Amino acid sequence: MKFFALLQLSLFTAATAATAPPTDQQPLRRPEQQQRLPPHPPPGHLPVMMGSSGNDSQVQPAVLLYDILGTQRSLTTFFSLTRMHESTSEPLSDAKTNTTVLAPNNIIIDDLPRKPWENPGDYAALGEQAYDGSGGKDRADDNMRKFVEAHLVVGTSPWEAGVKAKTAAGTEVWWETKTDKDGNEKRVIMPDEVVVDRVASRVANGEVWILNGVLNYA
Ligand SMILES: *[C@@H]1O[C@H](CO)[C@@H](O)[C@H](O)[C@H]1NC(C)=O
Ligand SMILES: *[C@@H]1O[C@H](CO)[C@@H](O)[C@H](O)[C@H]1NC(C)=O
């Protein structure tokens, strides 16, 4: 059960960091990543977070997804999950490939009945002990990687309505505009019908869309 404690601690740290001033990003970084990753952002290119008064259609050409995702207070949990694996953190700092990040907000992830590291198949095959020991940690890590991959549309941004694209997990997604009961037009990710709360940022290598739900991460 050691792993659970560790993970809960890291998620707790992320949640705590969310209430800290936005410049205080240190608690989010795990020591080994601090050494491996280049300093983001480069001096003089501080990412700017778009507030509600921000012009949402403006692209910030000097900023990468990795930089901007770390400044979004409502996405700290998702951001820490993306940084656990190179396969999911690398596209965010790759200036040559555009990615649409479909990021569920902290509350959505915290409230999931099935946690991102859990898979019903593991429980079916291994029972209650599925995530104990080092094998269990590997399984949990793998499930978290797949969870993030299901929310990264690598190679597609800008992403036009109705255009079918593949997530890094290999699932096919597209989006449509629907009108909610209050008459507001919302983007909806299909086929899972997950509502996009808003497009939070547009940067050099893609866009961050904040979701009000999670996509299928089976
Ligand atoms: C937002 O920025 C875009 C592109 O720079 C511009 O065309 C548009 O008029 C701006 N919208 C508002 C509401 O300022
Ligand atoms: C990548 O995104 C940027 C910013 O929106 C855009 O200017 C550029 O054309 C995109 N590149 C491709 C290959 O779509």
Side-chain angles (χ1 to χ4, degrees), residues 13-133:
T13 308
T16 311
T19 60
T23 48
D24 181 17
Q25 293 296 319
Q26 289 314 312
L28 277 173
R29 293 230 164 133
R30 296 191 302 177
E32 72 270 27
Q33 285 174 327
Q34 218 160 355
Q35 278 148 26
R36 211 182 58 223
L37 293 168
H40 280 284
H45 289 157
L46 269 180
V48 182
M49 191 166 44
M50 279 177 185
S52 48
S53 60
N55 183 342
D56 274 11
S57 61
Q58 219 151 27
V59 175
Q60 296 173 263
V63 177
L64 295 177
L65 287 168
Y66 190 94
D67 307 323
I68 202 76
L69 208 51
T71 69
Q72 297 282 349
R73 289 182 185 203
S74 62
L75 303 178
T76 48
T77 303
F78 185 77
F79 185 49
S80 26
L81 293 177
T82 65
R83 290 180 306 138
M84 295 183 76
H85 293 270
E86 212 160 311
S87 67
T88 51
S89 67
E90 203 271 338
L92 304 178
S93 46
D94 181 357
K96 296 193 194 76
T97 307
N98 283 1
T99 295
T100 303
V101 180
L102 303 174
N105 72 45
N106 294 340
I107 298 163
I108 296 287
I109 297 181
D110 292 348
D111 288 352
L112 284 175
R114 168 157 75 90
K115 300 301 171 194
W117 63 83
E118 291 180 305
N119 185 308
D122 292 335
Y123 285 122
L126 301 153
E128 286 295 303
Q129 272 79 53
Y131 301 107
D132 283 357

Side-chain angles (χ1 to χ4, degrees), residues 164-185:
K164 291 191 172 162
K166 279 246 158 77
T167 67
T171 45
E172 189 178 69
V173 287
W174 68 97
W175 66 271
E176 297 171 359
T177 303
K178 298 195 175 178
T179 307
D180 68 15
K181 58 182 182 335
D182 301 322
N184 299 314
E185 288 206 332

Side-chain angles (χ1 to χ4, degrees), residues 144-208:
M144 281 187 278
R145 177 178 53 76
K146 288 182 196 149
F147 175 84
V148 177
E149 285 174 350
H151 293 86
L152 297 181
V153 187
V154 178
T156 305
S157 179
W159 187 17
E160 302 297 329
V163 173
K164 291 191 172 162
K166 279 246 158 77
T167 67
T171 45
E172 189 178 69
V173 287
W174 68 97
W175 66 271
E176 297 171 359
T177 303
K178 298 195 175 178
T179 307
D180 68 15
K181 58 182 182 335
D182 301 322
N184 299 314
E185 288 206 332
K186 287 281 187 187
R187 294 181 178 197
V188 179
I189 310 291
M190 304 297 290
D192 293 350
E193 299 199 50
V194 173
V195 173
V196 177
D197 181 43
R198 65 196 175 94
V199 175
S201 16
R202 293 185 163 91
V203 296
N205 66 339
E207 302 185 358
V208 177

